[in-house]
Amino acid sequence: MERTVLKFGGTSVADLERIHHVADIVAMRAQQTPRLAVIVSAMAGETNKLVTYAQKAGADQLSPSDYEDEYDVIVASGEQVTAGLLALALRQRGYKARSWLGWQLALQTNMAHGSARITGFEGDAFPDAVDSGEIAVIAGFQGVTGKNRISTLGRGGSDTSAVAVAAALSAKSCDIYTDVDGVYTTDPRIVTKARRIEKISYEEMLEMASLGAKVLQTRSVELAMNHKVPIRVLSSFKGLVDEDNSGTLVCDEDYIVEKQIVSGVAYSRDEAKVTLFGVADTPGMASRIFSLLAAAGVNVDMIVQANARGPALANMVFTCTSKHSTLAEDALNRARDEINFEALEVNTDVAKVSIIGVGMKSHTGVAETMFRALYEKGINIDVIATSEIKISILIEAAYTELAVRALHTAFGLDAA
Ligand code: ASP
Ligand code: MG
């Protein structure tokens, strides 16, 4: 029995007019597939408002272990409202529909309030309801912990709810409706010639999402890859008929016949470069520094170690988000005597620009093309990091747009 999962993001359910439009889309889809589960986000801006309420009610003053369970109770409420509203709008159109909250689905998570991970579903009530032909409207973003408390999946988490439901229902696909009509080769606000990508592999999408493309929550792509759930990203703002809304299919690499060398260019301005000058070049030093950073909760990205001028001394450079750089700075300064570095410098005026493509696995000269394009624009590269399917560079923040445009052109991504 074929089941389909649809998901609508915050801008798609931003007000009642939009919710009615979503109900029209769902009704149209219900004509094609009778077994539907629909995941909704909170109205755009709602979660931010709830986060502020939680902070002002006391979370600001408390330590996480004293507020995070109630924080989740508060911020999860936005999705409860939209789920109920959409269920009503569907009933008004003559469809059988009901809302489902995280605990009613028995969408179990671990105890990591605020960024909980899904551990599984329990019971058959929900799949049975879907199979009976009743449209299930699910509050995204929320689950329930082993202690029977409400949890949330991290910001943007209703994408992950949608993929988890699609996996649990063995759905044919998971259609994520949003305010853009697909995944683009880069940010269209920077490059007007950015193109919609028809098909992109999980691996590439994972890199794009974690490198700054904001269409999908990174975790949702990870989950889709593990369960082989194809995701389609498409627009909820298009008309219902006669308009191309094929979106972007995120799928297994094997389904992509024409592989691009570079599929996309991503960037992130929320970067910081931390340099520790003059640390002893001895075994165990890197281990000590990075275990200290891990303990402080710093998520380290690029790492470079180079010899300093002095004898047996090295400079250790790493990058992280600007927010984490404050944690890093504090932790390192506190351990100054232990690590015995000469100086510490934090530079937040940097950006990371990356090119991503599975074709890199089998092509040579990609780095050369990248570096030449940057050189021709006079852009200085600070740090370089590579993986099998991406090359990232750290540059001065002021050059971000120029770099993104130059790379988009250099790899033949510009629309005709
Ligand atoms: N409403 C939540 C957020 O704003 C979850 C989501 O929209 O995906 O992060
Ligand atoms: Mg989102």
Side-chain angles (χ1 to χ4, degrees):
M1 219 177 304
E2 197 175 295
R3 296 152 168 167
T4 302
V5 171
L6 313 177
K7 184 250 163 178
F8 294 88
T11 46
S12 305
V13 293
D15 53 36
L16 280 165
E17 195 187 321
R18 301 248 22 110
I19 288 176
H20 276 296
H21 181 64
V22 165
D24 287 337
I25 297 176
V26 176
M28 181 189 75
R29 299 294 303 260
Q31 305 293 328
Q32 301 151 357
T33 14
R35 322 238 175 283
L36 274 184
V38 185
I39 286 83
V40 287
S41 291
M43 292 181 181
E46 188 62 21
T47 311
N48 287 343
K49 196 176 91 189
L50 295 166
V51 168
T52 309
Y53 282 162
Q55 283 165 344
K56 292 195 173 152
D60 256 356
Q61 313 291 324
L62 295 165
S63 63
S65 59
D66 290 324
Y67 73 71
E68 47 190 22
D69 51 345
E70 297 304 342
Y71 170 95
D72 276 352
V73 172
I74 299 159
V75 302
S77 66
E79 275 74 8
Q80 174 163 344
V81 175
T82 45
L85 291 173
L86 180 58
L88 284 187
L90 287 166
R91 285 186 189 173
Q92 190 232 327
R93 282 164 178 70
Y95 288 87
K96 270 173 64 187
R98 71 155 276 194
S99 62
W100 292 81
L101 303 181
W103 63 270
Q104 293 169 326
L105 290 176
L107 190 154
Q108 302 285 335
T109 74
N110 65 9
M111 297 297 298
H113 283 287
S115 58
R117 281 190 174 263
I118 299 171
T119 53
F121 285 86
E122 272 169 23
D124 296 326
F126 161 64
D128 288 350
V130 171
D131 289 343
S132 78
E134 183 183 64
I135 301 172
V137 185
I138 298 168
F141 186 46
Q142 51 173 267
V144 61
T145 70
K147 288 192 177 164
N148 212 16
R149 300 298 322 258
I150 290 177
S151 52
T152 61
L153 308 177
R155 297 307 304 271
S158 42
D159 292 338
T160 303
S161 309
V163 174
V165 168
L169 291 178
S170 312
K172 214 179 95 214
S173 79
C174 178
D175 289 359
I176 300 206
Y177 284 87
T178 177
D179 51 7
V180 290
D181 65 354
V183 179
Y184 275 69
T185 47
T186 194
D187 187 345
R189 286 169 304 184
I190 288 193
V191 182
T192 46
K193 287 184 167 176
R195 278 188 290 119
R196 176 169 58 83
I197 301 172
E198 262 172 50
K199 284 184 186 174
I200 187 167
S201 70
Y202 293 121
E203 267 181 299
E204 290 169 312
M205 193 61 229
L206 203 53
E207 292 283 8
M208 297 268 266
S210 57
L211 290 169
K214 291 186 185 66
V215 206
L216 292 172
Q217 198 198 31
T218 309
R219 237 183 233 181
S220 70
V221 185
E222 243 166 42
L223 198 64
M225 182 158 97
N226 291 340
H227 293 273
K228 296 214 180 297
V229 176
I231 301 180
R232 189 177 290 282
V233 178
L234 67 175
S235 168
S236 73
F237 284 74
K238 293 202 163 173
L240 291 183
V241 280
D242 294 340
E243 233 183 311
D244 172 36
N245 195 11
S246 48
T248 297
L249 186 70
V250 186
C251 60
D252 207 273
E253 196 186 319
D254 295 346
Y255 293 113
I256 304 173
V257 184
E258 254 185 77
K259 295 187 179 58
Q260 304 289 330
I261 299 176
V262 169
S263 300
V265 181
Y267 70 93
S268 153
R269 290 198 179 90
D270 179 27
E271 302 284 327
K273 176 186 164 198
V274 182
T275 311
L276 275 171
F277 293 97
V279 294
D281 189 7
T282 51
M285 186 48 89
S287 157
R288 220 176 311 157
I289 293 172
F290 290 99
S291 64
L292 198 124
L293 292 168
V298 179
N299 207 336
V300 173
D301 182 14
M302 304 163 148
I303 302 174
V304 181
Q305 184 188 262
N307 285 339
R309 272 187 306 255
L313 287 180
N315 293 339
M316 188 70 86
V317 179
F318 67 89
T319 69
C320 56
T321 61
S322 327
K323 198 168 141 205
H324 280 193
S325 72
T326 329
L327 298 174
E329 199 174 4
D330 290 347
L332 292 167
N333 275 326
R334 261 183 275 122
R336 181 155 198 163
D337 290 342
E338 185 206 335
I339 302 174
N340 199 20
F341 53 86
E342 281 172 0
L344 169 65
E345 187 186 274
V346 178
N347 181 2
T348 51
D349 202 17
V350 292
K352 182 169 71 170
V353 178
S354 313
I355 55 171
I356 299 123
V358 281
M360 269 183 226
K361 287 184 197 173
S362 51
H363 281 81
T364 55
V366 181
E368 197 266 318
T369 306
M370 180 184 202
F371 300 154
R372 186 165 22 85
L374 296 167
Y375 159 66
E376 282 168 0
K377 297 287 178 203
I379 300 170
N380 191 39
I381 304 170
D382 194 344
V383 182
I384 302 168
T386 66
S387 81
E388 217 182 6
I389 65 159
K390 72 144 199 250
I391 305 174
S392 296
I393 50 147
L394 199 74
I395 57 172
E396 208 180 299
Y399 291 101
T400 314
E401 302 193 354
L402 187 61
V404 171
R405 283 196 201 108
L407 295 172
H408 200 265
T409 306
F411 287 99
L413 296 173
D414 289 351

